[in-house]
Amino acid sequence: MSPRWNENRLTAKLGIDYPVIQGPLGGLSSQRLTAAVSNFGGLGSFGAHGLAPEVIKDVIGEIRSLTSKPFAMNLWVSMEDEGARTSDENAFNRSLAPLAVHIDALGAPRPTYKPYSPKRFEDQACVLLDANVPAFSFIFGIPAREILEECRAKGIVTIGTATTSDEAAALQQAGVNAIVASGFEAGGHRGSFLRPAEDSLTGTLSLVPQVVDIVDVPVIAAGGIGDARGVIAALALGAEAAQLGTVFLACEESGASRLHRETLQRRNAGHTGLTKGFTGRLARAVHNRVMEDLNRNGTEILPYPPQRELVRNLAIAAEAAGRADLLPMWAGQSASLSPCTDVLPFLTSLVEEISEIAGPITRWSAARRKKQIVK
Ligand SMILES: Cc1cc2nc3c(=O)[nH]c(=O)nc-3n(C[C@H](O)[C@H](O)[C@H](O)COP(=O)(O)O)c2cc1C
């Protein structure tokens, strides 16, 4: 029986004080945010999938200069979709068409076709291994056996991400230390890897207990958790930590633009939708005009990541012009629950509120988990 709500197998393994994880925010992470969460006693994460290996090395050094506490570095195991390398200038021009009208209206130069230059997950992972990061989390697949073995040998905690119970079973089989069960409420990409993302849209409330019942490693609940009520619910479902993304994205410390953060801080930010239009992979973001345009039937979308590079051109112009209707803004369904503007007061009150009630819930939940394992 765990004596306190905040002490369990996962917090012990990671060496953190609270089972609260700031989810990696690939592209919008910041060293400051990661360190602030870790310094508080949670686990800060940094989404590094878009960075070159030498930049990742610098980022790890910077995080280490800001915190001596454990943190996670996050990568995407699958870095491109079929057709990314063969996608040509004609396809580029067809996919540019729905964006060009906005780019022109904003007075920005139209982008021109550039062949895509790939980054390799293995090269990025090498940096994490060399740097001996405290935790290595990943999404969109399972790293090769040799990488996971090296993590084990070095004591690097591995955290995989599942969007279905089949993916959770595969991650456990591969020997990861913990599994994020990511419900479809979550902001950002749907990291599915066994079935298409469109067929892997289980909600957090259903997914977490299903995963808890079939794996024996600690489960981390993600998706739609924006305050103490959500964390308590996750613990009741059998999760040993909650991973929050959108709420941290809204904080001043995040790497999101001011326009994006202010949109998330508004009470009416909660209307989100799923689209492949922003990157070529299915992801959740604020429903706005540019999402509607790209979701229209017949719109040609490039594979991941060329579509991401293409849309980035509009994003830069929209941000400069202060046009939230034309800016891709990642967000989960909990967006309107995000009054968080600074990490420290947010986490302080989150933990205070959870502490009032979570003791008996986590004890009950741990006992239930044990019974399930015995069955
Ligand atoms: C902008 C953004 C970027 C994200 N990038 C990553 C990523 O690179 N890797 C990853 O594993 N999860 C990523 N996520 C998922 C979050 O880490 C987290 O699991 C998710 O946001 C939790 O759901 P919530 O948004 O409802 O809080 C991202 C989420 C957002 C909003």
Side-chain angles (χ1 to χ4, degrees):
M1 184 168 93
S2 180
R4 282 153 44 90
W5 74 271
N6 56 322
E7 290 171 3
N8 59 40
R9 296 179 300 169
L10 185 67
T11 55
K13 180 96 192 153
L14 286 165
I16 56 176
D17 300 330
Y18 303 107
V20 175
I21 299 178
Q22 170 251 317
L25 304 169
L28 301 178
S29 279
S30 82
Q31 294 84 328
R32 242 180 101 211
L33 174 61
T34 307
V37 176
S38 289
N39 281 333
F40 181 84
L43 185 76
S45 314
F46 191 101
H49 74 89
L51 304 179
E54 56 279 12
V55 181
I56 297 178
K57 190 172 168 206
D58 291 344
V59 166
I60 296 170
E62 284 154 17
I63 296 172
R64 283 195 160 129
S65 74
L66 298 171
T67 183
S68 55
K69 300 281 188 70
F71 61 92
M73 292 299 291
N74 177 274
L75 296 176
W76 291 17
V77 180
S78 148
M79 292 287 280
E80 64 179 42
D81 286 341
E82 214 184 313
R85 290 179 193 222
T86 49
S87 169
D88 62 11
E89 187 162 2
N90 288 334
F92 175 87
N93 287 328
R94 287 196 301 274
S95 298
L96 173 62
L99 301 172
V101 49
H102 300 309
I103 293 175
D104 293 350
L106 292 168
R110 280 195 189 187
T112 50
Y113 171 74
K114 280 187 219 70
Y116 144 66
S117 72
K119 285 193 189 72
R120 276 173 25 98
F121 162 76
E122 290 74 15
D123 298 338
Q124 297 174 317
C126 254
V127 177
L128 270 48
L129 293 167
D130 288 347
N132 234 323
V133 293
F136 174 11
S137 68
F138 44 84
I139 193 166
F140 283 118
I142 307 177
R145 192 158 42 95
E146 305 75 59
I147 295 181
L148 291 176
E149 271 169 11
E150 197 171 336
C151 288
R152 259 192 297 280
K154 293 188 152 187
I156 296 173
V157 179
T158 52
I159 305 174
T161 307
T163 62
T164 62
S165 37
D166 291 350
E167 290 174 355
L171 284 161
Q172 157 146 299
Q173 175 81 23
V176 303
N177 296 124
I179 297 172
V180 177
S182 172
F184 93 134
E185 299 90 330
H189 286 86
R190 206 74 205 115
S192 309
F193 61 92
L194 288 183
R195 277 200 298 267
E198 291 84 348
D199 300 334
S200 310
L201 296 177
T202 311
T204 305
L205 201 60
S206 301
L207 183 64
V208 171
Q210 283 173 39
V211 173
V212 166
D213 283 355
I214 59 158
V215 301
D216 49 30
V217 294
V219 173
I220 299 159
I225 302 172
D227 60 19
R229 293 169 293 184
V231 178
I232 292 164
L235 298 173
L237 293 173
E240 290 179 63
Q243 174 162 297
L244 287 63
T246 300
V247 77
F248 286 113
L249 198 59
C251 287
E252 193 266 328
E253 291 90 341
S254 96
S257 68
R258 190 148 62 90
L259 190 57
H260 190 168
R261 283 187 286 108
E262 283 174 359
T263 305
L264 296 181
Q265 286 162 12
R266 273 191 224 121
R267 277 277 155 199
N268 63 356
H271 186 42
T272 63
L274 288 166
T275 185
K276 277 189 156 178
F278 290 168
T279 66
R281 284 185 175 176
L282 197 71
R284 185 174 294 286
V286 172
H287 184 105
N288 62 5
R289 184 167 162 197
V290 66
M291 182 188 284
E292 250 169 50
D293 284 0
L294 292 171
N295 277 355
R296 203 157 285 137
N297 269 347
T299 303
E300 287 197 39
I301 305 294
L302 295 171
Y304 181 89
Q307 180 74 11
R308 179 175 214 141
E309 296 309 314
L310 173 63
V311 172
R312 202 191 298 276
N313 295 284
L314 174 62
I316 292 168
E319 200 175 302
R323 291 283 300 272
D325 59 330
L326 297 179
L327 180 65
M329 290 184 288
W330 307 117
Q333 291 183 328
S334 62
S336 57
L337 284 177
S338 313
C340 167
T341 48
D342 293 282
V343 165
L344 196 59
F346 170 72
L347 281 175
T348 306
S349 67
L350 184 80
V351 159
E352 261 173 33
E353 217 182 319
I354 299 168
S355 305
E356 282 172 25
I357 179 84
I361 290 173
T362 46
R363 283 194 287 276
W364 167 76
S365 186
R368 202 178 181 289
R369 234 182 358 250
K370 265 195 203 129
K371 262 196 233 154
Q372 187 74 27
I373 291 168
V374 171
K375 262 200 257 165

